[in-house]
Amino acid sequence: MPRAFESCWKLTDIEGRPVRYPGVFWTEQTTGPARLVCVPSGSCLGLVRAFASLLEEPLFVLFVLTVSRRGREPGRYQSPLLSSGEIDEFLREFGEFFDRDARHCVWIGQPNKSGLIVWDSHQWVYGYGPLEKMQRAAEARGLVSGRAEIPVPHKHNFHAIFDDAEEEVLSRFEWLRTPLLDGDDEA
């Protein structure tokens, strides 16, 4: 029997149809380090978990809440330092919420190091750090070299069915909250 949230989509066209991506990756140079851009054709969860397993401990999660349906203050919520196992458990527990609701972005990183993963509200994953290993992980999950674009226009969806998950995420750790930065709320 299908779960109710299986009809929830993070990103849709203006008619409400889910946005489908081709399952591609490419490397691009930023104003800082190069990064791997991955645009899976479906769920990002497995890819993000694989990328996180490539980063050295300790790690942190940055939960960037741009829209709250529970009256929470939008902001950047940073976790305490965590082990790889704790990160994986967190991703497994809240993966459906992160995959299907656009009220947030999720970052996983190494303090004072270059390893970083950004899972954005468009269902794109950006990897910084061990790019060759990340590319192999992307290829192992069926992604191929190519390009994708975010469709214009599109709609970000915030589903009531995930309101409890928002509360559970924010109750999970003693988060350090800081204000959103310019660009964080470009959902």
Side-chain angles (χ1 to χ4, degrees):
M1 179 171 173
R3 296 177 288 192
F5 57 75
E6 289 179 349
S7 62
C8 298
W9 300 99
K10 182 183 268 191
L11 195 68
T12 57
D13 65 18
I14 57 172
E15 304 293 323
R17 294 178 298 248
V19 169
R20 305 270 187 210
Y21 291 119
V24 295
F25 68 85
W26 65 95
T27 302
E28 66 183 17
Q29 185 62 50
T30 67
T31 56
R35 68 182 179 186
L36 186 67
V37 181
C38 297
V39 187
S41 59
S43 171
C44 292
L45 180 59
L47 182 65
V48 171
R49 288 178 66 198
F51 282 9
S53 74
L54 300 172
L55 300 181
E56 293 179 22
E57 297 177 355
L59 303 169
F60 66 88
V61 173
L62 184 69
F63 181 69
V64 182
L65 181 65
T66 57
V67 174
S68 174
R69 290 179 40 90
R70 286 290 182 96
R72 292 282 194 147
E73 191 169 1
R76 300 171 135 240
Y77 292 82
Q78 185 170 327
S79 74
L81 295 179
L82 304 167
S83 70
S84 293
E86 290 169 314
I87 293 286
D88 195 58
E89 179 183 330
F90 179 74
L91 290 171
R92 279 186 290 113
E93 184 171 347
F94 298 108
E96 290 288 346
F97 172 48
F98 299 150
D99 242 350
R100 297 180 177 274
D101 195 277
R103 70 185 82 186
H104 56 261
C105 299
V106 178
W107 300 26
I108 300 166
Q110 300 169 289
N112 305 316
K113 295 191 181 177
S114 63
L116 178 68
I117 304 156
V118 177
W119 182 357
D120 81 1
S121 62
H122 292 104
Q123 204 63 342
W124 288 33
V125 177
Y126 300 89
Y128 301 82
L131 298 188
E132 289 180 16
K133 289 179 180 178
M134 289 177 170
Q135 181 175 323
R136 286 194 296 273
E139 290 170 334
R141 280 154 187 76
L143 277 72
V144 298
S145 180
R147 293 279 179 162
E149 292 186 17
I150 297 167
V152 177
H154 64 269
K155 179 181 170 190
H156 293 260
N157 298 296
F158 318 113
H159 304 285
I161 197 166
F162 290 116
D163 289 351
D164 287 345
E166 176 186 322
E167 286 296 318
E168 290 168 17
V169 164
L170 292 173
S171 298
R172 171 53 73 89
F173 305 116
E174 264 191 58
W175 299 94
L176 172 62
R177 188 200 161 277
T178 56
L180 293 174
L181 299 178
D182 288 341
D184 281 343
D185 58 355
E186 292 179 358

